[in-house]
Amino acid sequence: MQFEGEHLWIGQVGHIFVLIAFTASLLSTLSFFIAGKKIDHSEKLSWLRFARISFVTQSAAVVIVFSSIFYICSHHYIEYLFGYKHTSKELEFKYLFASIWEDQSGSFLLWSIWHSIIGMFLIKKSKEWEAPVMTVISFAQLFLAMMIMGVYIFGTKIGNSPFVLTRNEINGPIFGMPNYLSMIKDGVGLNVLLRNYWMVIHPPVLFLGFASTIVPFAYAYAGLQSKRYGDWIKPVLPWTLFSACVLGVGIMMGGKWAYESLSFGGYWAWDPVENASLVPWMILVAGLHTMVIYKATSHSLRASYIFAMLTFVFILYSTFLTRTGILGDTSVHAFAESGRPMFNLIRIFLFTFSVPALVYFFFHYKKMPAELREENSSSREFWMFIGSLVLFLSAMFIIAKTSTPVINAIFGSKLAPPEDIEFSYNKVMILVGIILGFLSAVTQYLKYKSTGSSFVIKKIALPTIITIVITTLLIIFYPITYYKQGAGFLGAVYIGIFVTIYSVIANASYIWSGLNGQLKSAGGSLSHLGFALMIVGILISSANKKVISEEKFKDFQIQMGVDPLTKQQDNPAENINLIRQVSKKMGPYDVTYLHDSVGKEKGRRFYHLAFERKDENSDEVKESFILSPDVYLMKDNNMSSNPDTKNYLTHDVFTYISYALNPDANEDTASFKINEMAEGDTLFYSKGYMILNQVVKNPVTNKFNFPVNGPAVLAEFTIKSTEGNTYHAAPMIVVDSFGINQIDDTVYAQNLYVKFAGVSSDQTKMKIGVKESSSMIDFVTLKAYIFPYINLVWIGLIIMAIGMVMSMIHRASLSKSTGAIVLAFAAIALFYMFLLAN
C-alpha cells in the first residue's frame, strides 16, 4: 500500500547513520585497543590513525542522526512516532530541543554527542594516554549507538530506534488507510512540565557532566593497563575538576527547574532521580580530594582508583535506575513503560564496564605503590581523606535507600519507604553536612604531613570568633522555627548553620591571609566557600520556609491536592480558597483571584492572582504584583500544576494551584430571567437582593475599562447577600460601529450574572436580566510559601562552580590570558543563566 504524504527519506538517512555510528565505534574501539598493545612505534601510529578516522566518522554520524531527529521534530513529521509523541504545532521553537531529550533515544544521543566532543579533545591533548583512554570512550560509544539502533538480532530487539513509523507502532484502523496523515491533526506534544527554560539547558549540561565522568574512569584504566600506576593522576585532575563543576551545576539546574515547574514546593525532595544524579557527584568529589592528596603526598592512590571507577559505574547504575522503568512508581520523572525495552541492554552496559574494571583493579591492587608510613592525625591529608570517606559513605547511604525497588525485585522482599521520606534522609545528611562543614573550614589551615596545634589555633581564632558572633545574632534576631521534628533535629539544624557559616568565614579568611590574596591558588577555598554558602541557604530556606496560605474553613469544603512526589494529600489547612474577584488576607498580602486565561498549549490555563501589601497603620498600598501559576488539565480530569514565583533579594513568594475547576466539567445550564426595574427598585434572588441605584447615560468611566466611542448606558446596582456582604454590579449597553453590545457583569462570590437587556416598551423601566449560575462558584485553591534567603543557594552554587573552574585552570597550567578568558566566560554564562531564569 502506498501511503500519502509520508517523508520516509529522512528516517532512512537517520537509521543508516545510526548503523554507521555503531560500526565506526566498533572499529574505533578495536583499533585503539590494538594500538595500546603495540610496542613498535610505526605500527602503533598506523593503528592510531585508523582509530582516529573511525572515531571522527562515528562522531560525524552521531551529529547527522541528531540533525535528522531535529528535522523531523521541527517539520512536525508525525508519521514518525518520535515526532508524534514529542512535538506539536503549538510548541515554541526553543522547546523542540527539549522534545528531543524528553525521549529515551534522544537523551542517549545527547550523551553520545558529548562523548564525541570530549573524545575529539582527548585525541588532540592526551598524548601518550590516547590509546587506552580512547579505547574506553569508544567502547562506551558502541553501547550508546546500540541504544538507538532498534534492530532485531536472533529475535532480540537491540535498542529503540527514533525513526520508527507511527503506523507500525500504534494499532488502529486509521493506520491502515493510505491517507491516515490527513486525519491526524497534530502530535501529542512535549510534556507541559518540561516546557520551561531550564529544560532547554539543564539536560545538556547534566549530560555533559555524565559524559565527562568517563574521563577519570578511562585514565584509571589507562594507568592499570600501562602499569604507570600513579602517572595518570596529574593529567586527569583538570578533567575531574571540570566534571565535578559541570555535573554539580547540572544537578542544581534540575533543582531550579523543579523549583519553577513542580508543585512540591522546593528545589529538592530526595526524589530517586535526584538521588541517582547526586551520588556519582559525591563520589567524584571524594575522588577529587584523594587525587589532590596523592599528588601532594603519594598517599591515597588506591582510593583515587576506586573513586574514579565507581563514579562512572554509578553513572551507569543511575541510568539503569532511571531509564528501565524500575523506579516508575517512586519517582516523578523517571522513565516508566518507555524504559522497559532498554532493561537488558542497560544492564549489560552496566556490568560490562563495572565488573571487569573492578576485577582489573583488584588484580593490580598489590602492585600499586603505596606509602608505608601512617598519616599523622594532625596532617592535612589525614582529614582530607576522612572527608572523602564521609562523602563516599553518605553516597552509599543515599543509593541504598534509593535502590529499595531493585532490592525488592532481586530478593523478593517487601521493603517499604518510610512514612516521612524526606526526614529519613535529612536526619542523616544534616550530620554529614556538619562534619563536612567543619572539615572544609579547618583542614585547609593544616599542613601536609604534620601541623603544630598552636599554629592552627592561631589561624582559626578570628574566623571562630566571627562565626560565633554571627550565629548568636542569627539566633536572637532570626531564630530557626522548624519545630516539626523535635528539639534534637532543631539543634542539629543550628549546629549545621554554625559550621557552614564557619566554613564560609574560614575559607574567606584563608584566601585573604593564608594565600595572601593570590586568587590563582584560591580555587579550592572558593569552591568550599561556595558549597558552604549553598548549604547555609538550603538550611535556612528549608527550616524557615513558611506556609502563608492558611484557610479558616469558613466558606466551603476545601479541596485537597496530591503531592506528585510523595503521593500524599496536602494538609488542607495549608491551602486557601480564593473566590474570583474576592480579596482575601494571606500572610502579609491581600490576594485576589482576578481571572484565568487559556495558554498556547491545549488544556493549559493560567490563573492570575493580584497581590497587595498594605501599610499596617493605613490602607496605603506599599507593594503590588501579579503572579500567574498555571494548571494543565488532563484528559482524565487530573491536573498538573506549575508554580509562579515573585523573587526578592532576601526571599521568594512561591505559589501554585492545588485545585482548580475544570471548565469543561463545570458547564452552566442556567439562563437569564428578564425583569423590569425602575431606579430605586429592589429585586430579590435566592441569596439576597439587589437595588438599581441609577442609570447613567454616556458614563465617563466604567468598571470594565471598556473604551466608549458612542452612545452608552450603564446601570449601577448594589447587591446585599443574606450573609451581610455588599457587592456592586454595573452592566452596560454600548452602541458603536459594530452595533449594539451588551456588556454583562458578574458577581462571582454569589454566582450571579447581571445583564442590561434594554428598555421597556413605555420607556419607563429598564429590562434587567438576572442569572443565578447552576455551575460551581468560580474559585481556585492556592498554596503559597515564603522561602527566605533562597538566593544564597544559587549564589553559593555559582561561587562553587567558579572556584572549580579556577582550580581547573590552575591544575591544567593554562596561560594567564587563556585562564582569564575561560574563567570570565564561565562566570558570565552562569550569571546570565540564573539571571535570565529569574
Side-chain angles (χ1 to χ4, degrees), residues 95-106:
Y95 294 135
L96 289 175
F97 292 99
S99 69
I100 294 177
W101 37 77
E102 179 191 32
D103 187 82
Q104 283 267 39
S105 54

Side-chain angles (χ1 to χ4, degrees), residues 155-166:
T156 302
K157 187 180 180 182
I158 307 297
N160 288 332
S161 172
F163 302 108
V164 294
L165 297 174
T166 307

Side-chain angles (χ1 to χ4, degrees), residues 304-343:
S304 298
Y305 267 102
I306 199 70
F307 289 150
M309 289 181 169
L310 286 182
T311 296
F312 188 65
V313 167
F314 275 98
I315 288 288
L316 298 180
Y317 181 64
S318 300
T319 303
F320 171 77
L321 288 179
T322 58
R323 297 181 176 276
T324 59
I326 200 164
L327 296 181
D329 295 331
T330 59
S331 174
V332 68
H333 50 337
F335 292 90
E337 291 301 320
S338 64
R340 306 216 182 273
M342 295 287 197
F343 187 91

Side-chain angles (χ1 to χ4, degrees), residues 72-333:
I72 288 171
C73 292
S74 61
H75 287 76
H76 304 292
Y77 287 166
I78 58 177
E79 58 265 39
Y80 293 97
L81 186 64
F82 197 108
Y84 176 72
K85 286 175 64 177
H86 302 295
T87 66
S88 57
K89 294 175 183 176
E90 69 191 11
L91 204 61
E92 296 179 50
F93 179 81
K94 63 183 178 182
Y95 294 135
L96 289 175
F97 292 99
S99 69
I100 294 177
W101 37 77
E102 179 191 32
D103 187 82
Q104 283 267 39
S105 54
S107 57
F108 280 122
L109 186 59
L110 179 61
W111 191 349
S112 183
I113 287 174
W114 283 129
H115 269 179
S116 297
I117 294 171
I118 291 169
M120 301 283 271
F121 194 86
L122 285 168
I123 287 173
K124 187 173 181 62
K125 295 291 185 179
S126 57
K127 299 178 181 178
E128 71 270 19
W129 298 100
E130 178 186 352
V133 167
M134 289 305 300
T135 299
V136 174
I137 293 176
S138 297
F139 194 36
Q141 288 293 81
L142 180 69
F143 274 95
L144 291 173
M146 291 169 66
M147 298 293 178
I148 59 174
M149 281 176 62
V151 299
Y152 286 88
I153 299 177
F154 302 114
T156 302
K157 187 180 180 182
I158 307 297
N160 288 332
S161 172
F163 302 108
V164 294
L165 297 174
T166 307
R167 57 180 164 85
N168 293 336
E169 300 298 316
I170 300 178
N171 294 324
I174 186 176
F175 295 109
M177 302 178 183
N179 62 336
Y180 77 93
L181 282 176
S182 64
M183 303 178 191
I184 304 175
K185 301 302 180 184
D186 202 0
V188 175
L190 182 66
N191 186 320
V192 70
L193 292 177
L194 304 182
R195 300 182 191 190
N196 179 280
Y197 162 80
W198 288 108
M199 288 313 293
V200 178
I201 63 171
H202 157 58
V205 174
L206 187 66
F207 273 92
L208 174 57
F210 286 164
S212 63
T213 61
I214 200 174
V215 180
F217 180 94
Y219 268 98
Y221 162 78
L224 296 174
Q225 190 264 345
S226 64
K227 296 183 175 60
R228 297 169 60 188
Y229 294 112
D231 293 349
W232 63 282
I233 296 291
K234 183 178 179 180
V236 86
L237 255 177
W239 281 103
T240 308
L241 283 159
F242 172 81
S243 185
C245 175
V246 175
L247 184 55
V249 170
I251 291 168
M252 289 308 294
M253 280 182 175
K256 189 69 169 157
W257 163 70
Y259 186 66
E260 294 185 2
S261 290
L262 294 181
S263 59
F264 63 76
Y267 42 84
W268 197 266
W270 296 111
D271 178 83
V273 172
E274 295 171 343
N275 296 347
S277 61
L278 177 64
V279 165
W281 183 81
M282 295 175 75
I283 299 173
L284 180 66
V285 173
L288 171 62
H289 285 81
T290 57
M291 290 177 194
V292 172
I293 293 171
Y294 176 77
K295 193 169 183 298
T297 68
S298 299
H299 280 288
S300 301
L301 177 60
R302 291 166 176 166
S304 298
Y305 267 102
I306 199 70
F307 289 150
M309 289 181 169
L310 286 182
T311 296
F312 188 65
V313 167
F314 275 98
I315 288 288
L316 298 180
Y317 181 64
S318 300
T319 303
F320 171 77
L321 288 179
T322 58
R323 297 181 176 276
T324 59
I326 200 164
L327 296 181
D329 295 331
T330 59
S331 174
V332 68
H333 50 337

Side-chain angles (χ1 to χ4, degrees), residues 805-819:
V805 172
M806 288 172 60
S807 292
M808 182 186 71
I809 293 169
H810 181 61
R811 296 286 179 179
S813 301
L814 298 181
S815 65
K816 288 184 178 180
S817 57
T818 304

